Every structure is written in C-alpha cells, then in structure tokens.
C-alpha cells in the first residue's frame, strides 16, 4: 500500500490526476494539500473540497500557500488554460466541506512524522508547500519515502519549456521554492515536460474515458473540453499532453520510465527565470550537492493504458 500526500493546484489535469490516485489500487491518500497556481488558493481549495464531496474521497484537505516565496514569472492566474473556476468553467455547486485547520506545510510535516519512511509526496503544482515544510522540518528528507514532482523541463525528447522557451509553469510559478526542494536531499523524482509532453490524450482517448469510466469518466470528459480548446489554439490539434497524471503513473509504475540521476538547480532571476538546469558531472556541481532522479523517457502507450484501466475500474 502506498501512502500518499497529494500537493496540487487543482485545475483540470490535477483533477484528472486526483481521480487516478483515488481509484488506483494500493494507494491510501493521507491528505490533499492545496496550492495557488492554476487558480488562486481559495479556488483551488474549493476545487479540492468539491472533488472530495463529489467522488467520496476520504482524505482531509489542507489549505496551502497563497503566494510564491520568491520571484515568479506570473502576476495572474491562467484562466485561459483551466477556466476562471479552475475546472473548465463547469457548474460547481456550493461545497459544504471545509479545509482542516492546519496549514498545508504543517500538515505535510505531521503526516510524514506520523508515518516515518512510508509517505510518498506527489506534487503537481508550485513547490511552495514543500519548501515551507522543509523550513519547518529540516529532517524531512530522511523521513519521507519519496517525492515525485511534475515540473520542469530538461531538454530530453526536445522539450524545453511551456511558459517561456526554457521554463515550465509549476517551476516558473515559484523558482525559489523549486530550487530549495531540488537541492534539499529529498528523495526526489522529477517528471518534467520531457515525458509529460510525450503522452498525448486525443478525442478518441477522452471518449474512451467517458464511455468506460462511469461518473469519473464523464466528469473528466466534461472538464477537458475547455483544456482541449486551449491546446487546440496552441497547436492546431484537439488533444493535450498528460502532465499531472504522469507523476501518479510514476508512483504506480516507475518501470514505465527511463531516468537518470542529476544535480538540478533552478534559475531564480533574469531572462531564464524558472529554467531547470541539470548536470551529472560532479566536477561541475560539487560532490556534496544532492542529486535528483529525472525522467528522460516514457512508455506512453502503457502509461495511457494504466490511466484508462484505473478510471474504468471506478465504474465497476
Ligand atoms: C503544469 O502546469 C499546470 O498548468 C498543470 O496543472 C501542470 O501541473 C504543466 O506545466
Ligand atoms: Ca498542476
């Protein structure tokens, strides 16, 4: 059983990833921690609570950081990608559920301390909550089982950036937090654009999810309409990359990914703000800088099959 904290700025692909986790066999979701990013913190927290109510997710919801620790590339939220409400502007009813009293970073620290060496943190938004948790508990790297981050781009398979020529959105939204997390010694795997942009969901894929996944499948189909329109304007194709669910896929089936070990740093100012740079040369990085695992390749067909099968299991 994998015990998981999901740290998320719930927009459209985050919601898809949350359902992936919720319906995966052998996952116990210990908590959902929210962050700003795809929308403001009130909206992403409301979205987490909405998902909890609608899909009967037991895990408590903790409200996380409202803003970046350092310079960010953004001064607004990407409603052109995820909609004003973060979920493709579908109708969202009043939500009765409320977040827990504890702050997101404090919740990460206490859940990890309550389950030493057992917790996998899957982070698919800004790394602000994780950086705050490290500040509260510098021993976190020794206590956590693994951290899987969707973010960054390292140039493998020709992928470099999606919000600038060199930067990916989750990292560009709080480069300082990301640099602290990547150099902290946390047992970290980074699932970047290098592999998330290699997995493409098209109309046939979304129709299959809608037709086989019961209520979850129909929900995914509904929220994806807005997201697909954005991507179609960008690329001319009515399809999208599979970002946040790729971090969940790595949690469930790391064998679907090719990886390498590297020191990773983040550019925290200037024209290349948010760029993730890597080296596996000790002479370049210094031998005492902790390494991360970065994903360089993916079996995209098997990744998509895992997603389809997991969501379809919700309808059984
Ligand atoms: C990442 O940015 C957000 O828009 C998505 O939810 C994903 O986490 C992709 O760059
Ligand atoms: Ca996200």
């Amino acid at each position: 059983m994998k015990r998981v904290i999901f740290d998320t700025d719930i927009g459209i692909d985050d919601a898809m990833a949350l359902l992936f986790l919720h319906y995966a066999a052998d996952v116990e979701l210990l908590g959902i921690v929210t962050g700003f990013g795809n929308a403001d913190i009130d909206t992403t927290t409301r979205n987490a609570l909405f998902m909890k109510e609608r899909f009967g997710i037991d895990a408590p919801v903790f409200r996380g950081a409202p803003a970046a620790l350092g310079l960010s590339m953004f001064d607004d939220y990407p409603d052109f990608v995820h909609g004003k409400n973060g979920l493709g502007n579908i109708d969202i009813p009043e939500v009765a559920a409320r977040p827990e009293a504890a702050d997101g970073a404090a919740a990460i620290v206490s859940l990890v301390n309550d389950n030493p060496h057992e917790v996998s943190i899957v982070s698919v938004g800004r790394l602000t909550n994780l950086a705050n948790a490290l500040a509260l508990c510098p021993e976190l790297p020794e206590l956590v089982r693994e951290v899987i981050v969707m973010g960054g781009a390292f140039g493998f398979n020709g992928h470099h950036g999606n919000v600038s020529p060199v930067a990916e959105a989750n990292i560009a939204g709080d480069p300082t937090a990301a640099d602290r997390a990547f150099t902290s010694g946390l047992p970290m795997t980074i699932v970047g654009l290098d592999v998330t942009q290699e997995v493409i969901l098209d109309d046939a894929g979304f129709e299959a999810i809608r037709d086989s996944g019961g209520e979850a499948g129909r929900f995914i189909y509904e929220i994806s309409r807005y997201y697909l329109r954005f991507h179609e304007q960008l690329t001319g194709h009515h399809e999208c990359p599979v970002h946040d669910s790729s971090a969940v896929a790595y949690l469930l089936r790391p064998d679907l990914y090719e990886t390498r070990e590297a020191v990773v740093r983040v550019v925290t100012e200037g024209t290349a703000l948010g760029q993730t740079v890597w080296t596996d040369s000790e002479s370049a990085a210094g031998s005492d800088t902790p390494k991360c695992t970065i994903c360089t390749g993916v079996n995209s067909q098997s990744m998509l099959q895992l997603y389809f099968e997991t969501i379809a299991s919700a309808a059984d």
Side-chain angles (χ1 to χ4, degrees):
M1 183 67 74
K2 300 202 182 232
R3 318 191 94 184
V4 176
I5 298 173
F6 188 51
D7 184 350
T8 170
D9 55 335
I10 294 199
I12 293 167
D13 64 319
D14 304 69
M16 291 174 61
L18 176 56
L19 291 173
F20 194 12
L21 272 176
H22 179 51
Y23 292 113
D26 298 331
V27 167
E28 183 190 355
L29 197 51
L30 297 179
I32 301 171
V33 176
T34 61
F36 71 98
N38 290 329
D40 63 53
I41 189 67
D42 289 339
T43 304
T44 59
T45 305
R46 187 275 317 269
N47 290 351
L49 294 164
F50 164 63
M51 297 287 295
K52 176 177 163 69
E53 279 191 345
R54 173 139 179 198
F55 293 99
I57 299 171
D58 287 336
V61 171
F62 302 93
R63 182 187 161 99
L69 300 182
L71 272 183
S72 159
M73 223 182 96
F74 311 112
D75 53 16
D76 210 348
Y77 301 103
D79 56 3
F80 49 93
V81 185
H82 295 271
K84 270 256 173 274
N85 71 4
L87 290 176
N89 292 341
I90 62 162
D91 288 336
I92 301 179
E94 270 302 303
V95 178
R98 289 287 166 261
E100 306 297 312
D103 159 76
I108 291 175
V109 170
S110 64
L111 287 169
V112 169
N113 275 279
D114 289 349
N115 302 275
H117 316 295
E118 285 189 15
V119 176
S120 301
I121 300 175
V122 178
S123 176
V124 297
R126 280 52 173 158
L127 293 174
T128 322
N129 293 322
L130 205 50
N132 286 338
L134 281 163
L136 290 173
C137 177
E139 307 78 41
L140 206 64
E142 290 85 59
L143 291 170
V144 81
R145 178 186 163 126
E146 64 180 330
V147 179
I148 304 169
V149 165
M150 189 280 126
F154 299 93
F156 295 99
N157 310 309
H159 302 298
H160 296 277
N162 63 355
V163 290
S164 86
V166 296
E168 182 280 330
N170 288 339
I171 306 304
D174 195 348
T176 300
D179 192 56
R180 286 184 196 165
F182 294 159
T183 55
S184 65
L186 281 165
M188 172 86 75
T189 300
I190 308 175
V191 183
L193 299 182
D194 314 74
V195 290
T196 69
Q197 289 187 334
E198 290 290 296
V199 183
I200 302 296
L201 251 176
D202 58 10
D203 284 328
F206 278 108
E207 282 158 19
I209 291 168
R210 176 194 64 196
D211 297 341
S212 63
E215 198 196 336
R218 289 188 291 278
F219 176 80
I220 289 166
Y221 185 85
E222 191 189 359
I223 59 174
S224 64
R225 301 304 88 195
Y226 193 96
Y227 198 60
L228 287 174
R229 270 198 297 279
F230 163 73
H231 284 92
E232 187 174 26
Q233 280 161 18
L234 211 60
T235 65
H237 302 288
H238 202 246
E239 58 186 30
C240 63
V242 180
H243 293 306
D244 292 349
S245 293
S246 291
V248 177
Y250 183 88
L251 169 87
L252 303 174
R253 289 281 310 276
D255 60 298
L256 298 182
Y257 291 83
E258 287 154 36
T259 61
R260 66 194 294 168
E261 306 296 303
V263 168
V264 175
R265 298 296 310 259
V266 181
V267 178
T268 54
E269 58 185 352
T271 316
L273 183 68
Q275 181 176 13
T276 42
V277 293
W278 68 275
T279 179
D280 53 12
S281 145
E282 288 204 347
S283 58
S287 56
D288 55 352
T289 313
K291 288 195 166 124
C292 300
T293 300
I294 59 181
C295 291
T296 58
V298 56
N299 180 337
S300 56
Q301 218 181 328
S302 301
M303 188 274 151
L304 282 175
Q305 195 184 334
L306 178 65
Y307 190 81
F308 292 145
E309 285 173 2
T310 306
I311 299 301
S313 73
D316 295 345

